[in-house]
Amino acid sequence: MSAVAPARAGSTMAQALNAALRDAMREDRSVHVLGEDVGPLGGVFRITDGLTAEFGPDRCLDTPLAEAGILGTAVGMAMYGLRPVVEMQFDAFAYPAMEQLVSHVAKMRNRTVGRLPLPITVRIPYGGGIGGVEHHSDSSEAYYTHTPGLHVVAPATVADAYGLLRASIASDDPVIFLEPKRLYWGRAEFDPVAPVEPIGRAVLRRTGTSAVLITYGPSLPVCLEAAEAAAAEGWDLAVLDLRSLVPFDDETVCRVVRSLGRAVVVHEASGFGGTGAEIAARVTERCFHHLAAPVLRVTGLDIPYPPPMLEHHHLPGVDRILDAVARLQWEDRG
Amino acid sequence: MTVLDHRHHTSVPGWLPGATAPRTDPAPLLPDASPVRVLGTPALEKYDPAVLRELYRRLVVGRRYNQQATVLTKQGRLAVYPASTGQEACQVAAAMALGAGDWLFPSYRDTLAVVSRGVDPLEALTLLRGNAHTGYDPRAVRTAPLCTPLATQAPHAVGLAHAARLAGDPVVALALLGDGGTSEGDFHEALNFAAVLQAPVVFLVQNNGYAISVPLTRQSAAPSLAHKAVGYGMPGRLVDGNDAPAVHAVLTEAVERARAGGGPTLVEALTYRLEAHTNADDATRYREDEEVTAWREHDPVLLMERHLRAAGLLDDELVRQAAEEAEALAARMRAEFHTDAELDPMSLFAHVYAEPTPQLREQAAQLAAELAAERAAEAGVRQ
Ligand SMILES: Cc1ncc(C[n+]2csc(CCOP(=O)(O)OP(=O)(O)O)c2C)c(N)n1
């Protein structure tokens, strides 16, 4: 189902996330999981499968159905020294907790002049492409990246799902951990003890000489596929996986863009006011004299997430990416 | 026969076992019809005189604190001050009902409760002065920062109390709220979580009649705010919020119940905000003078003085001591707020993340350069 995780023996991203939670809970008694249906059911995506059985209903807690209550309770737990990992059941159902997130989770360290850091990880199954009905497919990263005080992380590979979740739980700052739900079931070999780049570093998933596709999360496999298809057109595309939106790896992004001079940012969230706009602006400000073409964006449409039978028109696919690459003003191609 | 015909039910063999069966008899959870009082009742005779004298002392000092802070806003020394004048009994009793290891979760109007808890009176005003968002170390004084978004501190109190209970620590959390705050979703979510988790937490609603301009009748149609507890499965208690020993007694009972594993309580204290919402508000636009005058008769400081004197528990010496202490505090507030504080602009970047992001480092370098240029320009002007 994904170019990164070809269907073969190995772990799914869902299993890697489950392993990360389990290992973190085994190593550190202060790690507590809470959310809706995370207990005996194991979460609607089974990411918390088996945690209540192993660690008991206090450390993997089925809460009442109330997102502000869940996150607000996690704030108090963190104030008392625990490391809560909150599961929001779906992207669009995290919105009731927005006030707790913006007014408290993101700001408590700052409000208390450094005395009450909140080591909370908020896991959000996010994005579309799974045929979900409305409110089950939102890409909400721009809301979070616009909120100082939050880290925003989006893994795209099985290894990163494990490594970045461990790093997020270990972080002394709150982390919004965006799980691309359409990549949950793709398989890949992964070694939990293999080193993973820390939060804040982008990774080049494919080298190239013509232009770079800058992306993250669920759009990574699409970009890799587009890069394969582009070869037929004579374009050799690099693919850069950001992995983390906050902190943002200006250094790597600028190094790659300067060396190639052409860049396309790809994400499935709506484009207007989205993270692609931020990335394009940053790249233009820093690499202007190295650019052979404007930085282009390929994003979802500026519409509420569409019904499943129409979602393929919304989601940026290979063709739209290749169209953008074609618009990069190739002086040697008519 | 309609579906709702009662005869239908007589044949139902009771509730099936399982998760949907009714569990709790609501009667013991219901608040008494009239608020609990101690002043002017025989209960006063039985009250510990030392506690009564301490409550009196804190009321007097607290009233002076409210007055002085309000004056400081007029002089531009505080950006804003939401006075708790008229509500001092709730504030001092809240602090006194807690043990040293317990946690207080105040809202913006509860500076006096924070001070009464032992936080330095000037540090408690840091937020309202505009220097920083919090002036004290919350962990050291077991007091959360003053909370501005309404009711959002209530789930924090639940989470902290829950974590403390899991750790086996005998810690209780007390969340302070206003009547308007009880309409917010976070209030309901917090009560529900607290009851389901049986967290050792107490919610004190200071019903002072108004949420800015909106009277309680436009805020809630409940028989009382204390009644809201019953639907969540916790006891609701109604108390005269201007009767300091009554608030102290009801809160102490709730705190001890929570500590003993008895779960949460919702307390509604009936009180009145004698001043405007803040110094920036004009209360004459939404309430009549007669109403304020009537409540002045029920002033918590006057009530305490009158009843303690009648019971022979208040002597001139204590009155003099409390007045002196109050004046000394007011003088200290005036003196220390006389000058502008020196603030370091670079501190803006210090506490956003454990490690500043590369983006913040860049912005910090830019601000540092701006400041250096400013200093150089000033030095040039002086030469
Ligand atoms: C979530 C939120 N909405 C609105 C406000 C603006 N606001 C500040 S105080 C207030 C009234 C609160 O009334 P109440 O809860 O009765 O407390 P009181 O001020 O009377 O102590 C309002 C609407 C706020 N602080 N937070």
Side-chain angles (χ1 to χ4, degrees):
Chain A
M1 146 162 217
S2 91
V4 185
R8 62 188 160 91
S11 294
T12 63
M13 182 181 278
Q15 287 165 338
L17 292 165
N18 179 259
L21 291 172
R22 187 187 311 271
D23 291 351
M25 292 175 87
R26 280 183 185 160
E27 276 171 34
D28 182 352
R29 288 198 53 79
S30 68
V31 177
H32 282 233
V33 168
L34 66 159
E36 294 159 9
D37 303 295
V38 297
L41 179 69
V44 294
F45 292 106
R46 306 291 184 268
I47 308 297
T48 58
D49 199 21
L51 299 182
T52 297
E54 178 167 351
F55 302 103
D58 282 336
R59 285 192 64 203
C60 183
L61 177 72
D62 264 338
T63 64
L65 241 166
E67 291 73 16
I70 295 168
L71 192 52
T73 299
V75 169
M77 291 166 69
M79 286 171 75
Y80 205 73
L82 298 182
R83 282 186 184 272
V85 182
V86 165
E87 175 171 308
M88 292 289 164
Q89 201 157 66
F90 279 92
D91 32 51
F93 306 136
Y95 302 144
M98 210 61 180
E99 188 190 17
Q100 284 293 338
L101 190 71
V102 173
S103 295
H104 293 296
V105 175
K107 290 181 182 157
M108 192 66 88
R109 174 189 287 279
N110 191 256
R111 291 174 66 217
T112 61
V113 203
R115 275 123 169 191
L116 282 185
L118 294 181
I120 299 175
T121 302
V122 184
R123 294 182 33 245
I124 307 179
Y126 112 118
I130 60 161
V133 294
E134 61 167 355
H135 306 300
H136 290 78
S137 300
D138 282 17
S139 293
S140 38
E141 62 267 35
Y143 303 130
Y144 306 123
T145 58
H146 195 61
T147 305
L150 302 176
H151 287 307
V152 183
V153 170
T157 68
V158 174
D160 267 2
Y162 181 87
L164 291 177
L165 184 52
R166 292 300 306 269
S168 299
I169 295 170
S171 167
D172 285 334
D173 283 315
V175 179
I176 303 297
F177 192 84
L178 300 171
E179 300 176 358
K181 43 175 126 55
R182 69 172 134 134
L183 304 186
Y184 268 155
W185 305 285
R187 281 181 189 277
E189 296 299 338
F190 98 99
D191 171 6
V193 293
V196 168
E197 285 292 331
I199 292 176
R201 297 264 180 77
V203 168
L204 207 55
R205 299 288 181 201
R206 188 187 201 276
T207 54
T209 53
S210 308
V212 58
L213 304 177
I214 303 171
T215 191
Y216 53 91
S219 294
L220 176 64
V222 184
C223 286
L224 289 170
E225 205 183 320
E228 292 298 322
E233 306 275 331
W235 293 315
D236 181 17
L237 298 181
V239 177
L240 185 64
D241 177 5
L242 293 171
R243 304 168 69 254
S244 153
L245 297 172
V246 181
F248 186 80
D249 189 353
D250 281 309
E251 200 188 312
T252 305
V253 172
C254 288
R255 185 160 34 76
V256 175
V257 171
R258 281 179 190 149
S259 72
L260 299 178
R262 291 177 169 87
V264 179
V265 187
V266 182
H267 61 59
E268 70 175 59
S270 301
F272 195 87
T275 52
E278 174 63 31
I279 296 165
R282 302 184 79 78
V283 167
T284 306
E285 284 167 359
R286 285 167 176 73
C287 311
F288 185 69
H289 295 293
H290 301 265
L291 288 175
V295 179
L296 298 181
R297 285 172 289 158
V298 178
T299 69
L301 307 176
D302 294 330
I303 56 171
Y305 198 89
M309 297 184 76
L310 291 169
E311 71 178 336
H312 57 288
H313 296 293
H314 169 71
L315 295 171
V318 169
D319 289 347
R320 229 176 259 171
I321 295 171
L322 293 181
D323 282 351
V325 173
R327 280 192 287 124
L328 286 173
Q329 302 176 10
W330 303 94
E331 60 273 9
D332 52 341
R333 297 175 60 93
Chain B
M1 190 176 84
T2 69
V3 178
L4 293 177
D5 190 308
H6 70 279
R7 280 169 301 178
H8 228 61
H9 292 278
T10 55
S11 62
V12 174
W15 285 92
L16 295 171
T20 56
R23 286 146 292 175
T24 311
D25 172 11
L29 305 181
L30 283 164
D32 290 339
S34 54
V36 174
R37 291 209 165 93
V38 168
L39 295 174
T41 76
L44 185 63
E45 309 292 328
K46 288 184 237 130
Y47 224 96
D48 181 350
V51 173
L52 293 173
R53 290 164 66 87
E54 181 61 14
L55 281 168
Y56 169 79
R57 195 184 63 77
R58 293 194 192 196
L59 281 175
V60 170
V61 175
R63 172 60 53 87
R64 190 69 186 88
Y65 181 86
N66 272 326
Q67 287 167 342
Q68 187 60 60
T70 302
V71 169
L72 287 169
T73 62
K74 299 199 170 108
Q75 298 167 347
R77 291 289 163 194
L78 287 182
V80 68
Y81 186 71
S84 57
T85 311
Q87 301 178 219
E88 288 95 341
C90 299
Q91 302 267 316
V92 305
M96 276 179 63
L98 294 178
D102 295 334
W103 272 76
L104 181 71
F105 287 80
S107 81
Y108 52 84
R109 197 179 296 288
D110 303 315
T111 334
L112 182 54
V114 171
V115 172
S116 190
R117 182 140 175 80
V119 173
D120 181 273
L122 302 178
E123 287 181 356
L125 288 169
T126 304
L127 168 79
L128 303 165
R129 197 180 179 195
N131 290 6
H133 296 313
T134 307
Y136 47 89
D137 179 348
R139 253 196 254 278
V141 293
R142 293 186 170 79
T143 300
L146 296 171
C147 186
T148 307
L150 291 164
T152 54
Q153 77 280 20
H156 305 172
V158 176
L160 183 131
H162 173 64
R165 195 174 68 127
L166 292 180
D169 300 337
V171 170
V172 176
L174 171 63
L176 304 183
L177 299 128
D179 42 295
T182 66
S183 300
E184 290 280 359
D186 282 54
F187 172 75
H188 298 277
E189 299 191 18
L191 260 66
N192 191 46
F193 268 67
V196 169
L197 296 172
Q198 283 293 289
V201 53
V202 178
F203 304 94
L204 171 62
V205 176
Q206 298 172 67
N207 174 2
N208 64 11
Y210 293 86
I212 307 188
S213 66
V214 177
L216 188 73
T217 49
R218 304 296 306 163
Q219 195 67 243
S220 171
S224 82
L225 299 177
H227 275 83
K228 291 178 187 270
V230 183
Y232 297 104
M234 72 175 80
R237 296 286 174 253
L238 194 58
V239 62
D240 180 341
N242 286 16
D243 182 330
V247 183
H248 180 260
V250 170
L251 280 180
T252 304
E253 193 185 286
V255 166
E256 289 320 319
R257 205 178 79 86
R259 205 187 308 285
T265 305
L266 171 66
V267 180
E268 174 186 2
L270 293 167
T271 183
Y272 195 78
R273 159 160 73 65
L274 286 172
E275 302 297 329
H277 172 66
T278 68
N279 50 298
D281 166 47
D282 174 10
T284 62
R285 295 181 75 120
Y286 54 84
R287 63 187 193 188
E288 303 293 334
D289 281 349
E290 301 92 80
E291 183 183 290
V292 185
T293 310
W295 275 94
R296 281 195 197 286
E297 289 302 301
H298 200 63
D299 179 312
V301 188
L302 291 183
L303 283 186
M304 192 70 171
E305 214 165 296
R306 189 183 307 150
H307 286 286
L308 291 200
R309 278 222 192 262
L313 292 161
L314 187 62
D315 49 63
D316 292 344
E317 179 56 17
L318 180 58
V319 173
R320 191 187 58 75
Q321 271 175 16
E324 263 179 25
E325 194 189 329
E327 278 320 309
L329 174 59
R332 198 182 142 214
M333 290 163 77
R334 288 193 299 271
E336 296 202 22
F337 284 157
H338 182 63
T339 49
D340 292 330
E342 288 267 336
L343 299 175
D344 176 10
M346 295 311 290
S347 69
L348 291 173
F349 302 98
H351 305 294
V352 185
Y353 298 97
E355 284 290 321
T357 59
Q359 291 69 40
L360 278 184
R361 276 188 221 281
E362 242 178 70
Q363 292 173 15
Q366 195 183 335
L367 182 61
E370 282 169 25
L371 294 170
E374 260 172 45
R375 273 193 301 273
E378 274 168 29
V381 169
R382 275 200 299 274
Q383 270 166 17

